[in-house]
Amino acid sequence: MPVTAKICGLSTPDTLDAAVRHGAAQVGFVFFPPSPRSLTFDQAAGLAGRVPSHVRKVGVFVDPEDGLLDATIAAARLDAVQLHKTAPDRVAAIRARTGREVWAAVAVKTSADLSVAASFAGAADRILYDAKTPDSAALPGGMGLRFDWTLLQGHAHPLPWALSGGLDPANVAEAIRVTGARAVDVSSGVESAPGVKDVAKIAAFLQAVAQC
């Protein structure tokens, strides 16, 4: 089974087109104002219109309210919702209410953090293992941090899962080898500056994944 990749935090037509052209399985749109990658509804609608049907559109949220979810799903025609810092019961409620595939982010720094994933069984469709950010950080992800990938070796995953956190074109093949991931997610690792995606880095990342 080939490894699939999501390019997250896209905000311009040229970088979105590059992600699609080079084989991204999903494209991620961020709806969290503190992030330099956050989109307006109009921006999201314009980008969504460029995404072919075989590529899934994922909206990224931090414990969102129903009103934001409804407006965003409508504007960006989202196929899936990725939730950060959202409790399992709320994740389950969002999944039931929206009818969309739901990814639940689990922030990882130590092996004990992995136990949180089990609480999302029956609530989410997929776990996204991401690097835990400092408590003082404004963002829950997209900061280029990575965790010890060997923590995932031998871990009994309660759901399908994807690997995120500090991935880039140079290390993604190693990350896949160490963890056995069949899905990866990148944001800051394909940027030239915070929030500024780089077409060449997107291409290099997806080419590296395709060779795994």
Side-chain angles (χ1 to χ4, degrees):
M1 185 176 70
V3 181
T4 62
K6 171 170 158 276
I7 306 296
C8 198
L10 292 160
S11 59
T12 64
D14 63 326
T15 55
L16 177 85
D17 292 350
V20 170
R21 183 169 63 252
H22 293 286
Q26 301 98 9
V27 291
F29 302 139
V30 175
F31 302 97
F32 183 58
S35 170
R37 307 167 186 92
S38 192
L39 300 179
T40 65
F41 296 146
D42 286 346
Q43 286 175 312
L47 291 171
R50 305 178 72 90
V51 182
S53 59
H54 69 277
V55 177
R56 294 175 65 77
K57 300 177 291 291
V58 183
V60 180
F61 303 87
V62 179
D63 200 15
E65 297 181 349
D66 287 342
L68 174 62
L69 284 167
D70 292 347
T72 308
I73 288 170
R77 301 189 290 278
L78 299 178
D79 301 300
V81 174
Q82 178 179 316
L83 301 170
H84 292 257
K85 296 188 174 180
T86 307
D89 58 347
R90 177 62 177 150
V91 169
I94 289 172
R95 182 173 179 241
R97 185 176 179 279
T98 64
R100 296 301 192 274
E101 178 182 321
V102 172
W103 301 16
V106 171
V108 180
K109 186 174 183 180
T110 69
S111 58
D113 295 322
L114 296 177
S115 64
V116 174
S119 65
F120 290 104
D125 297 284
R126 179 179 291 196
I127 298 296
L128 179 70
Y129 295 107
D130 199 1
K132 182 177 285 188
T133 57
D135 292 339
S136 59
L139 305 178
M143 298 177 64
L145 301 176
R146 56 176 279 189
F147 62 92
D148 179 0
W149 296 326
T150 63
L151 294 177
L152 292 176
Q153 293 179 345
H155 177 62
H157 300 283
L159 289 167
W161 61 280
L163 178 66
S164 187
L167 301 179
D168 60 39
N171 69 19
V172 67
E174 175 71 1
I176 290 166
R177 185 189 69 77
V178 171
T179 64
R182 308 312 298 167
V184 293
D185 185 353
V186 66
S187 184
S188 62
V190 290
E191 291 180 344
S192 56
V196 182
K197 290 290 183 287
D198 184 293
V199 168
K201 290 182 178 181
I202 290 171
F205 184 88
L206 291 170
Q207 287 163 6
V209 171
Q211 292 169 8
C212 292

